[in-house]
mmCIF file with all atom_site columns, all heavy atoms in Angstrom:
data_model
loop_
_atom_site.group_PDB
_atom_site.id
_atom_site.type_symbol
_atom_site.label_atom_id
_atom_site.label_alt_id
_atom_site.label_comp_id
_atom_site.label_asym_id
_atom_site.label_entity_id
_atom_site.label_seq_id
_atom_site.pdbx_PDB_ins_code
_atom_site.Cartn_x
_atom_site.Cartn_y
_atom_site.Cartn_z
_atom_site.occupancy
_atom_site.B_iso_or_equiv
_atom_site.pdbx_formal_charge
_atom_site.auth_seq_id
_atom_site.auth_comp_id
_atom_site.auth_asym_id
_atom_site.auth_atom_id
_atom_site.pdbx_PDB_model_num
ATOM 1   N N   . ALA A 1 1  ? -105.778 -92.711 227.336 1.00 0.00 ? 1  ALA A N   1
ATOM 2   C CA  . ALA A 1 1  ? -105.031 -91.910 226.353 1.00 0.00 ? 1  ALA A CA  1
ATOM 3   C C   . ALA A 1 1  ? -105.214 -90.419 226.625 1.00 0.00 ? 1  ALA A C   1
ATOM 4   O O   . ALA A 1 1  ? -104.253 -89.638 226.553 1.00 0.00 ? 1  ALA A O   1
ATOM 5   C CB  . ALA A 1 1  ? -105.495 -92.256 224.944 1.00 0.00 ? 1  ALA A CB  1
ATOM 6   N N   . ALA A 1 2  ? -106.444 -90.020 226.942 1.00 0.00 ? 2  ALA A N   1
ATOM 7   C CA  . ALA A 1 2  ? -106.712 -88.610 227.256 1.00 0.00 ? 2  ALA A CA  1
ATOM 8   C C   . ALA A 1 2  ? -105.969 -88.189 228.517 1.00 0.00 ? 2  ALA A C   1
ATOM 9   O O   . ALA A 1 2  ? -105.424 -87.073 228.601 1.00 0.00 ? 2  ALA A O   1
ATOM 10  C CB  . ALA A 1 2  ? -108.210 -88.385 227.416 1.00 0.00 ? 2  ALA A CB  1
ATOM 11  N N   . ARG A 1 3  ? -105.938 -89.083 229.511 1.00 0.00 ? 3  ARG A N   1
ATOM 12  C CA  . ARG A 1 3  ? -105.249 -88.773 230.759 1.00 0.00 ? 3  ARG A CA  1
ATOM 13  C C   . ARG A 1 3  ? -103.739 -88.606 230.524 1.00 0.00 ? 3  ARG A C   1
ATOM 14  O O   . ARG A 1 3  ? -103.093 -87.765 231.154 1.00 0.00 ? 3  ARG A O   1
ATOM 15  C CB  . ARG A 1 3  ? -105.515 -89.873 231.781 1.00 0.00 ? 3  ARG A CB  1
ATOM 16  C CG  . ARG A 1 3  ? -105.235 -89.466 233.229 1.00 0.00 ? 3  ARG A CG  1
ATOM 17  C CD  . ARG A 1 3  ? -105.634 -90.567 234.181 1.00 0.00 ? 3  ARG A CD  1
ATOM 18  N NE  . ARG A 1 3  ? -107.067 -90.837 234.087 1.00 0.00 ? 3  ARG A NE  1
ATOM 19  C CZ  . ARG A 1 3  ? -107.624 -92.022 234.302 1.00 0.00 ? 3  ARG A CZ  1
ATOM 20  N NH1 . ARG A 1 3  ? -106.853 -93.064 234.613 1.00 0.00 ? 3  ARG A NH1 1
ATOM 21  N NH2 . ARG A 1 3  ? -108.920 -92.184 234.215 1.00 0.00 ? 3  ARG A NH2 1
ATOM 22  N N   . ALA A 1 4  ? -103.188 -89.390 229.604 1.00 0.00 ? 4  ALA A N   1
ATOM 23  C CA  . ALA A 1 4  ? -101.763 -89.267 229.287 1.00 0.00 ? 4  ALA A CA  1
ATOM 24  C C   . ALA A 1 4  ? -101.449 -87.888 228.708 1.00 0.00 ? 4  ALA A C   1
ATOM 25  O O   . ALA A 1 4  ? -100.409 -87.293 229.020 1.00 0.00 ? 4  ALA A O   1
ATOM 26  C CB  . ALA A 1 4  ? -101.355 -90.355 228.295 1.00 0.00 ? 4  ALA A CB  1
ATOM 27  N N   . VAL A 1 5  ? -102.349 -87.379 227.878 1.00 0.00 ? 5  VAL A N   1
ATOM 28  C CA  . VAL A 1 5  ? -102.169 -86.038 227.318 1.00 0.00 ? 5  VAL A CA  1
ATOM 29  C C   . VAL A 1 5  ? -102.304 -84.988 228.412 1.00 0.00 ? 5  VAL A C   1
ATOM 30  O O   . VAL A 1 5  ? -101.501 -84.047 228.499 1.00 0.00 ? 5  VAL A O   1
ATOM 31  C CB  . VAL A 1 5  ? -103.184 -85.782 226.188 1.00 0.00 ? 5  VAL A CB  1
ATOM 32  C CG1 . VAL A 1 5  ? -103.080 -84.339 225.683 1.00 0.00 ? 5  VAL A CG1 1
ATOM 33  C CG2 . VAL A 1 5  ? -102.967 -86.765 225.036 1.00 0.00 ? 5  VAL A CG2 1
ATOM 34  N N   . LYS A 1 6  ? -103.298 -85.154 229.272 1.00 0.00 ? 6  LYS A N   1
ATOM 35  C CA  . LYS A 1 6  ? -103.511 -84.220 230.384 1.00 0.00 ? 6  LYS A CA  1
ATOM 36  C C   . LYS A 1 6  ? -102.277 -84.141 231.281 1.00 0.00 ? 6  LYS A C   1
ATOM 37  O O   . LYS A 1 6  ? -101.889 -83.047 231.722 1.00 0.00 ? 6  LYS A O   1
ATOM 38  C CB  . LYS A 1 6  ? -104.717 -84.685 231.194 1.00 0.00 ? 6  LYS A CB  1
ATOM 39  C CG  . LYS A 1 6  ? -104.930 -83.966 232.520 1.00 0.00 ? 6  LYS A CG  1
ATOM 40  C CD  . LYS A 1 6  ? -105.350 -82.522 232.322 1.00 0.00 ? 6  LYS A CD  1
ATOM 41  C CE  . LYS A 1 6  ? -105.693 -81.874 233.662 1.00 0.00 ? 6  LYS A CE  1
ATOM 42  N NZ  . LYS A 1 6  ? -106.063 -80.440 233.501 1.00 0.00 ? 6  LYS A NZ  1
ATOM 43  N N   . GLU A 1 7  ? -101.651 -85.272 231.540 1.00 0.00 ? 7  GLU A N   1
ATOM 44  C CA  . GLU A 1 7  ? -100.516 -85.329 232.462 1.00 0.00 ? 7  GLU A CA  1
ATOM 45  C C   . GLU A 1 7  ? -99.173  -85.069 231.793 1.00 0.00 ? 7  GLU A C   1
ATOM 46  O O   . GLU A 1 7  ? -98.128  -85.165 232.426 1.00 0.00 ? 7  GLU A O   1
ATOM 47  C CB  . GLU A 1 7  ? -100.507 -86.691 233.164 1.00 0.00 ? 7  GLU A CB  1
ATOM 48  C CG  . GLU A 1 7  ? -101.738 -86.891 234.058 1.00 0.00 ? 7  GLU A CG  1
ATOM 49  C CD  . GLU A 1 7  ? -101.849 -88.302 234.625 1.00 0.00 ? 7  GLU A CD  1
ATOM 50  O OE1 . GLU A 1 7  ? -100.981 -89.141 234.253 1.00 0.00 ? 7  GLU A OE1 1
ATOM 51  O OE2 . GLU A 1 7  ? -102.782 -88.564 235.394 1.00 0.00 ? 7  GLU A OE2 1
ATOM 52  N N   . GLY A 1 8  ? -99.212  -84.732 230.497 1.00 0.00 ? 8  GLY A N   1
ATOM 53  C CA  . GLY A 1 8  ? -97.986  -84.390 229.794 1.00 0.00 ? 8  GLY A CA  1
ATOM 54  C C   . GLY A 1 8  ? -97.156  -85.558 229.323 1.00 0.00 ? 8  GLY A C   1
ATOM 55  O O   . GLY A 1 8  ? -96.014  -85.389 228.884 1.00 0.00 ? 8  GLY A O   1
ATOM 56  N N   . GLU A 1 9  ? -97.716  -86.769 229.380 1.00 0.00 ? 9  GLU A N   1
ATOM 57  C CA  . GLU A 1 9  ? -96.988  -87.951 228.916 1.00 0.00 ? 9  GLU A CA  1
ATOM 58  C C   . GLU A 1 9  ? -97.072  -88.103 227.401 1.00 0.00 ? 9  GLU A C   1
ATOM 59  O O   . GLU A 1 9  ? -96.314  -88.862 226.804 1.00 0.00 ? 9  GLU A O   1
ATOM 60  C CB  . GLU A 1 9  ? -97.549  -89.198 229.598 1.00 0.00 ? 9  GLU A CB  1
ATOM 61  C CG  . GLU A 1 9  ? -97.378  -89.208 231.113 1.00 0.00 ? 9  GLU A CG  1
ATOM 62  C CD  . GLU A 1 9  ? -98.117  -90.358 231.775 1.00 0.00 ? 9  GLU A CD  1
ATOM 63  O OE1 . GLU A 1 9  ? -98.688  -91.195 231.030 1.00 0.00 ? 9  GLU A OE1 1
ATOM 64  O OE2 . GLU A 1 9  ? -98.135  -90.430 233.022 1.00 0.00 ? 9  GLU A OE2 1
ATOM 65  N N   . ALA A 1 10 ? -98.008  -87.406 226.777 1.00 0.00 ? 10 ALA A N   1
ATOM 66  C CA  . ALA A 1 10 ? -98.162  -87.418 225.324 1.00 0.00 ? 10 ALA A CA  1
ATOM 67  C C   . ALA A 1 10 ? -98.560  -86.018 224.868 1.00 0.00 ? 10 ALA A C   1
ATOM 68  O O   . ALA A 1 10 ? -99.102  -85.227 225.639 1.00 0.00 ? 10 ALA A O   1
ATOM 69  C CB  . ALA A 1 10 ? -99.211  -88.446 224.894 1.00 0.00 ? 10 ALA A CB  1
ATOM 70  N N   . ASP A 1 11 ? -98.290  -85.735 223.588 1.00 0.00 ? 11 ASP A N   1
ATOM 71  C CA  . ASP A 1 11 ? -98.551  -84.393 223.047 1.00 0.00 ? 11 ASP A CA  1
ATOM 72  C C   . ASP A 1 11 ? -99.906  -84.284 222.371 1.00 0.00 ? 11 ASP A C   1
ATOM 73  O O   . ASP A 1 11 ? -100.409 -83.172 222.167 1.00 0.00 ? 11 ASP A O   1
ATOM 74  C CB  . ASP A 1 11 ? -97.462  -84.032 222.032 1.00 0.00 ? 11 ASP A CB  1
ATOM 75  C CG  . ASP A 1 11 ? -96.078  -84.063 222.649 1.00 0.00 ? 11 ASP A CG  1
ATOM 76  O OD1 . ASP A 1 11 ? -95.861  -83.326 223.626 1.00 0.00 ? 11 ASP A OD1 1
ATOM 77  O OD2 . ASP A 1 11 ? -95.227  -84.831 222.167 1.00 0.00 ? 11 ASP A OD2 1
ATOM 78  N N   . ALA A 1 12 ? -100.494 -85.408 221.988 1.00 0.00 ? 12 ALA A N   1
ATOM 79  C CA  . ALA A 1 12 ? -101.757 -85.375 221.253 1.00 0.00 ? 12 ALA A CA  1
ATOM 80  C C   . ALA A 1 12 ? -102.504 -86.680 221.459 1.00 0.00 ? 12 ALA A C   1
ATOM 81  O O   . ALA A 1 12 ? -101.916 -87.707 221.813 1.00 0.00 ? 12 ALA A O   1
ATOM 82  C CB  . ALA A 1 12 ? -101.501 -85.145 219.769 1.00 0.00 ? 12 ALA A CB  1
ATOM 83  N N   . LEU A 1 13 ? -103.812 -86.640 221.211 1.00 0.00 ? 13 LEU A N   1
ATOM 84  C CA  . LEU A 1 13 ? -104.682 -87.808 221.341 1.00 0.00 ? 13 LEU A CA  1
ATOM 85  C C   . LEU A 1 13 ? -105.316 -88.121 219.994 1.00 0.00 ? 13 LEU A C   1
ATOM 86  O O   . LEU A 1 13 ? -105.847 -87.237 219.323 1.00 0.00 ? 13 LEU A O   1
ATOM 87  C CB  . LEU A 1 13 ? -105.774 -87.532 222.376 1.00 0.00 ? 13 LEU A CB  1
ATOM 88  C CG  . LEU A 1 13 ? -106.968 -88.496 222.451 1.00 0.00 ? 13 LEU A CG  1
ATOM 89  C CD1 . LEU A 1 13 ? -106.516 -89.909 222.750 1.00 0.00 ? 13 LEU A CD1 1
ATOM 90  C CD2 . LEU A 1 13 ? -107.968 -88.014 223.502 1.00 0.00 ? 13 LEU A CD2 1
ATOM 91  N N   . PHE A 1 14 ? -105.259 -89.395 219.611 1.00 0.00 ? 14 PHE A N   1
ATOM 92  C CA  . PHE A 1 14 ? -105.875 -89.848 218.370 1.00 0.00 ? 14 PHE A CA  1
ATOM 93  C C   . PHE A 1 14 ? -106.858 -90.972 218.653 1.00 0.00 ? 14 PHE A C   1
ATOM 94  O O   . PHE A 1 14 ? -106.560 -91.900 219.401 1.00 0.00 ? 14 PHE A O   1
ATOM 95  C CB  . PHE A 1 14 ? -104.805 -90.354 217.391 1.00 0.00 ? 14 PHE A CB  1
ATOM 96  C CG  . PHE A 1 14 ? -105.371 -91.176 216.264 1.00 0.00 ? 14 PHE A CG  1
ATOM 97  C CD1 . PHE A 1 14 ? -106.133 -90.581 215.276 1.00 0.00 ? 14 PHE A CD1 1
ATOM 98  C CD2 . PHE A 1 14 ? -105.160 -92.542 216.203 1.00 0.00 ? 14 PHE A CD2 1
ATOM 99  C CE1 . PHE A 1 14 ? -106.671 -91.327 214.245 1.00 0.00 ? 14 PHE A CE1 1
ATOM 100 C CE2 . PHE A 1 14 ? -105.680 -93.304 215.172 1.00 0.00 ? 14 PHE A CE2 1
ATOM 101 C CZ  . PHE A 1 14 ? -106.439 -92.690 214.188 1.00 0.00 ? 14 PHE A CZ  1
ATOM 102 N N   . SER A 1 15 ? -108.042 -90.894 218.022 1.00 0.00 ? 15 SER A N   1
ATOM 103 C CA  . SER A 1 15 ? -109.040 -91.946 218.189 1.00 0.00 ? 15 SER A CA  1
ATOM 104 C C   . SER A 1 15 ? -109.947 -92.021 216.968 1.00 0.00 ? 15 SER A C   1
ATOM 105 O O   . SER A 1 15 ? -110.177 -91.019 216.283 1.00 0.00 ? 15 SER A O   1
ATOM 106 C CB  . SER A 1 15 ? -109.898 -91.672 219.439 1.00 0.00 ? 15 SER A CB  1
ATOM 107 O OG  . SER A 1 15 ? -110.914 -92.664 219.578 1.00 0.00 ? 15 SER A OG  1
ATOM 108 N N   . ALA A 1 16 ? -110.447 -93.222 216.698 1.00 0.00 ? 16 ALA A N   1
ATOM 109 C CA  . ALA A 1 16 ? -111.475 -93.419 215.678 1.00 0.00 ? 16 ALA A CA  1
ATOM 110 C C   . ALA A 1 16 ? -112.784 -93.849 216.344 1.00 0.00 ? 16 ALA A C   1
ATOM 111 O O   . ALA A 1 16 ? -113.699 -94.317 215.681 1.00 0.00 ? 16 ALA A O   1
ATOM 112 C CB  . ALA A 1 16 ? -111.033 -94.481 214.677 1.00 0.00 ? 16 ALA A CB  1
ATOM 113 N N   . GLY A 1 17 ? -112.850 -93.669 217.662 1.00 0.00 ? 17 GLY A N   1
ATOM 114 C CA  . GLY A 1 17 ? -113.990 -94.157 218.432 1.00 0.00 ? 17 GLY A CA  1
ATOM 115 C C   . GLY A 1 17 ? -115.155 -93.194 218.527 1.00 0.00 ? 17 GLY A C   1
ATOM 116 O O   . GLY A 1 17 ? -115.292 -92.259 217.728 1.00 0.00 ? 17 GLY A O   1
ATOM 117 N N   . ASN A 1 18 ? -115.994 -93.427 219.543 1.00 0.00 ? 18 ASN A N   1
ATOM 118 C CA  . ASN A 1 18 ? -117.215 -92.668 219.800 1.00 0.00 ? 18 ASN A CA  1
ATOM 119 C C   . ASN A 1 18 ? -116.932 -91.155 219.827 1.00 0.00 ? 18 ASN A C   1
ATOM 120 O O   . ASN A 1 18 ? -116.202 -90.663 220.684 1.00 0.00 ? 18 ASN A O   1
ATOM 121 C CB  . ASN A 1 18 ? -117.766 -93.139 221.152 1.00 0.00 ? 18 ASN A CB  1
ATOM 122 C CG  . ASN A 1 18 ? -119.085 -92.532 221.515 1.00 0.00 ? 18 ASN A CG  1
ATOM 123 O OD1 . ASN A 1 18 ? -119.307 -91.336 221.388 1.00 0.00 ? 18 ASN A OD1 1
ATOM 124 N ND2 . ASN A 1 18 ? -119.992 -93.367 222.020 1.00 0.00 ? 18 ASN A ND2 1
ATOM 125 N N   . THR A 1 19 ? -117.514 -90.409 218.884 1.00 0.00 ? 19 THR A N   1
ATOM 126 C CA  . THR A 1 19 ? -117.225 -88.972 218.763 1.00 0.00 ? 19 THR A CA  1
ATOM 127 C C   . THR A 1 19 ? -117.659 -88.208 220.001 1.00 0.00 ? 19 THR A C   1
ATOM 128 O O   . THR A 1 19 ? -116.916 -87.348 220.509 1.00 0.00 ? 19 THR A O   1
ATOM 129 C CB  . THR A 1 19 ? -117.925 -88.387 217.526 1.00 0.00 ? 19 THR A CB  1
ATOM 130 O OG1 . THR A 1 19 ? -117.504 -89.091 216.355 1.00 0.00 ? 19 THR A OG1 1
ATOM 131 C CG2 . THR A 1 19 ? -117.591 -86.911 217.364 1.00 0.00 ? 19 THR A CG2 1
ATOM 132 N N   . GLY A 1 20 ? -118.847 -88.507 220.504 1.00 0.00 ? 20 GLY A N   1
ATOM 133 C CA  . GLY A 1 20 ? -119.341 -87.823 221.690 1.00 0.00 ? 20 GLY A CA  1
ATOM 134 C C   . GLY A 1 20 ? -118.468 -88.089 222.900 1.00 0.00 ? 20 GLY A C   1
ATOM 135 O O   . GLY A 1 20 ? -118.184 -87.176 223.699 1.00 0.00 ? 20 GLY A O   1
ATOM 136 N N   . ALA A 1 21 ? -118.021 -89.328 223.043 1.00 0.00 ? 21 ALA A N   1
ATOM 137 C CA  . ALA A 1 21 ? -117.148 -89.677 224.166 1.00 0.00 ? 21 ALA A CA  1
ATOM 138 C C   . ALA A 1 21 ? -115.797 -88.991 224.034 1.00 0.00 ? 21 ALA A C   1
ATOM 139 O O   . ALA A 1 21 ? -115.219 -88.535 225.030 1.00 0.00 ? 21 ALA A O   1
ATOM 140 C CB  . ALA A 1 21 ? -116.961 -91.193 224.232 1.00 0.00 ? 21 ALA A CB  1
ATOM 141 N N   . LEU A 1 22 ? -115.283 -88.887 222.813 1.00 0.00 ? 22 LEU A N   1
ATOM 142 C CA  . LEU A 1 22 ? -114.002 -88.210 222.600 1.00 0.00 ? 22 LEU A CA  1
ATOM 143 C C   . LEU A 1 22 ? -114.116 -86.728 222.951 1.00 0.00 ? 22 LEU A C   1
ATOM 144 O O   . LEU A 1 22 ? -113.208 -86.152 223.564 1.00 0.00 ? 22 LEU A O   1
ATOM 145 C CB  . LEU A 1 22 ? -113.541 -88.379 221.155 1.00 0.00 ? 22 LEU A CB  1
ATOM 146 C CG  . LEU A 1 22 ? -112.134 -87.864 220.846 1.00 0.00 ? 22 LEU A CG  1
ATOM 147 C CD1 . LEU A 1 22 ? -111.088 -88.614 221.664 1.00 0.00 ? 22 LEU A CD1 1
ATOM 148 C CD2 . LEU A 1 22 ? -111.835 -87.980 219.348 1.00 0.00 ? 22 LEU A CD2 1
ATOM 149 N N   . LEU A 1 23 ? -115.229 -86.111 222.564 1.00 0.00 ? 23 LEU A N   1
ATOM 150 C CA  . LEU A 1 23 ? -115.455 -84.711 222.936 1.00 0.00 ? 23 LEU A CA  1
ATOM 151 C C   . LEU A 1 23 ? -115.539 -84.568 224.448 1.00 0.00 ? 23 LEU A C   1
ATOM 152 O O   . LEU A 1 23 ? -114.938 -83.647 225.032 1.00 0.00 ? 23 LEU A O   1
ATOM 153 C CB  . LEU A 1 23 ? -116.738 -84.195 222.283 1.00 0.00 ? 23 LEU A CB  1
ATOM 154 C CG  . LEU A 1 23 ? -117.157 -82.762 222.649 1.00 0.00 ? 23 LEU A CG  1
ATOM 155 C CD1 . LEU A 1 23 ? -116.078 -81.769 222.249 1.00 0.00 ? 23 LEU A CD1 1
ATOM 156 C CD2 . LEU A 1 23 ? -118.490 -82.407 221.991 1.00 0.00 ? 23 LEU A CD2 1
ATOM 157 N N   . ALA A 1 24 ? -116.243 -85.488 225.105 1.00 0.00 ? 24 ALA A N   1
ATOM 158 C CA  . ALA A 1 24 ? -116.361 -85.453 226.562 1.00 0.00 ? 24 ALA A CA  1
ATOM 159 C C   . ALA A 1 24 ? -114.997 -85.647 227.223 1.00 0.00 ? 24 ALA A C   1
ATOM 160 O O   . ALA A 1 24 ? -114.661 -84.961 228.190 1.00 0.00 ? 24 ALA A O   1
ATOM 161 C CB  . ALA A 1 24 ? -117.345 -86.528 227.038 1.00 0.00 ? 24 ALA A CB  1
ATOM 162 N N   . ALA A 1 25 ? -114.203 -86.576 226.691 1.00 0.00 ? 25 ALA A N   1
ATOM 163 C CA  . ALA A 1 25 ? -112.857 -86.803 227.237 1.00 0.00 ? 25 ALA A CA  1
ATOM 164 C C   . ALA A 1 25 ? -111.995 -85.563 227.070 1.00 0.00 ? 25 ALA A C   1
ATOM 165 O O   . ALA A 1 25 ? -111.230 -85.187 227.970 1.00 0.00 ? 25 ALA A O   1
ATOM 166 C CB  . ALA A 1 25 ? -112.213 -87.998 226.542 1.00 0.00 ? 25 ALA A CB  1
ATOM 167 N N   . GLY A 1 26 ? -112.134 -84.930 225.920 1.00 0.00 ? 26 GLY A N   1
ATOM 168 C CA  . GLY A 1 26 ? -111.369 -83.714 225.677 1.00 0.00 ? 26 GLY A CA  1
ATOM 169 C C   . GLY A 1 26 ? -111.735 -82.607 226.636 1.00 0.00 ? 26 GLY A C   1
ATOM 170 O O   . GLY A 1 26 ? -110.868 -81.929 227.205 1.00 0.00 ? 26 GLY A O   1
ATOM 171 N N   . LEU A 1 27 ? -113.028 -82.424 226.859 1.00 0.00 ? 27 LEU A N   1
ATOM 172 C CA  . LEU A 1 27 ? -113.503 -81.352 227.735 1.00 0.00 ? 27 LEU A CA  1
ATOM 173 C C   . LEU A 1 27 ? -113.259 -81.657 229.206 1.00 0.00 ? 27 LEU A C   1
ATOM 174 O O   . LEU A 1 27 ? -112.783 -80.801 229.959 1.00 0.00 ? 27 LEU A O   1
ATOM 175 C CB  . LEU A 1 27 ? -115.000 -81.118 227.497 1.00 0.00 ? 27 LEU A CB  1
ATOM 176 C CG  . LEU A 1 27 ? -115.382 -80.406 226.199 1.00 0.00 ? 27 LEU A CG  1
ATOM 177 C CD1 . LEU A 1 27 ? -116.889 -80.483 225.975 1.00 0.00 ? 27 LEU A CD1 1
ATOM 178 C CD2 . LEU A 1 27 ? -114.929 -78.958 226.226 1.00 0.00 ? 27 LEU A CD2 1
#
């Protein structure tokens, strides 16, 4: 999902998962 946002296939990322992992994916 993060890669899709990075590559412009999506405008935003939503998750209810691991907060630390989501921050890492974002960064």
Side-chain angles (χ1 to χ4, degrees):
R3 198 175 298 150
V5 175
K6 170 69 174 178
E7 295 172 357
E9 297 172 5
D11 301 302
L13 167 59
F14 164 70
S15 177
N18 185 314
T19 302
L22 187 62
L23 176 60
L27 286 169

